[in-house]
Amino acid sequence: TLIFPFLTMGCSGTGSNDQKTKTITVIDGYLHNAIICIDRNKNSNCEVIEELALKTNELGHIQVNLADAQYPIIAKAQAGSTYDSDQLTPLTKSYELIAPADSDYITPYTTLAFLNNISLQSLAEQFDFNYVAISNDYVKDKQDEPQLAHLIARAITPMIDSEILNNNISELN
C-alpha cells in the first residue's frame, strides 16, 4: 500500500514538468557550458537578470520554461569556458548567438535571420541555403546538405561579435 502513492507522485511530477519546459539546442557545433539569457525586454542584450542559472550541456541542450520560450533567447559562448563539439579545447573567442521566440535551435543561421529582421525561411531563400538543413540539427544529420550547413556555420561563427548589438550585418551577410 505504500508503493502506490510513491508511483503516483513520480508519474504526476514527470508529466507536469514535461508540459512546462522545452529543450533548446545551441549549435555551431554543440555548445557546452554556454550561458543562456531570456531576452524578456527584447533589447538584444544579455543582461545579468536575464541569465538562467543552468548552462548548456555537452549536446548544447538546455531546458527552458515555456513562458520563457516566448521571448528571444541569447546564447553566450565564452572564451575559456564554453566548448564547441567541433573542437577539443575551450573557445578562444567569445560570441553571442540569438534566436527569435519559440525557436528550438540557436545557431549562426538564427542569428543572421534575427539580425536581418527576416525569418529563417527568408534567410534560406536569400542565400540559397537548404531551409531544412539550417533549421534542424545539422551536426547530428550526416546527409550532405546538413553537413554543408555545418561547414558554413563554422565559417560564419568567427565573424560573430561578442555582443549581438555590435555585429556588422553587411559583413556577416
Side-chain angles (χ1 to χ4, degrees):
T1 58
L2 291 176
I3 294 174
F4 183 71
F6 289 116
L7 290 175
T8 306
M9 284 187 337
C11 292
S12 65
T14 303
S16 66
N17 188 32
D18 287 347
Q19 296 168 1
K20 293 180 183 174
T21 64
K22 73 182 269 184
T23 301
I24 294 177
T25 307
V26 183
I27 307 174
D28 172 22
Y30 299 122
L31 293 182
H32 176 222
N33 209 32
I35 294 170
I36 301 300
C37 296
I38 308 301
D39 192 17
R40 291 181 188 95
N41 60 9
K42 299 180 182 179
N43 67 354
S44 303
N45 189 18
C46 185
E47 298 170 17
V48 174
I49 60 169
E50 296 174 323
E51 288 183 14
L52 297 182
L54 297 177
K55 296 179 181 180
T56 56
N57 70 15
E58 57 279 346
L59 293 176
H61 294 168
I62 187 135
Q63 291 291 319
V64 175
N65 290 329
L66 288 178
D68 285 340
Q70 303 305 308
Y71 297 98
I73 299 179
I74 299 170
K76 288 179 70 165
Q78 296 188 300
S81 63
T82 301
Y83 287 82
D84 180 331
S85 64
D86 293 332
Q87 304 173 20
L88 296 176
T89 58
L91 297 176
T92 57
K93 178 187 180 287
S94 296
Y95 59 91
E96 289 182 351
L97 301 175
I98 192 167
D102 296 318
S103 295
D104 293 327
Y105 300 96
I106 304 171
T107 70
Y109 298 109
T110 62
T111 302
L112 278 174
F114 189 91
L115 291 171
N116 281 292
N117 200 28
I118 58 175
S119 69
L120 197 56
Q121 178 73 47
S122 295
L123 180 84
E125 292 167 6
Q126 183 175 332
F127 292 101
D128 199 26
F129 290 144
N130 178 298
Y131 173 72
V132 174
I134 68 169
S135 64
N136 290 292
D137 186 343
Y138 52 77
V139 174
K140 181 171 69 175
D141 191 334
K142 299 303 179 194
Q143 296 178 53
D144 289 345
E145 289 183 348
Q147 288 304 293
L148 177 59
H150 188 180
L151 287 172
I152 294 168
R154 289 176 63 188
I156 296 168
T157 303
M159 294 183 279
I160 296 176
D161 201 273
S162 62
E163 293 184 25
I164 290 295
L165 296 174
N166 293 342
N167 280 291
N168 181 332
I169 310 278
S170 60
E171 183 179 303
L172 284 174
N173 288 340

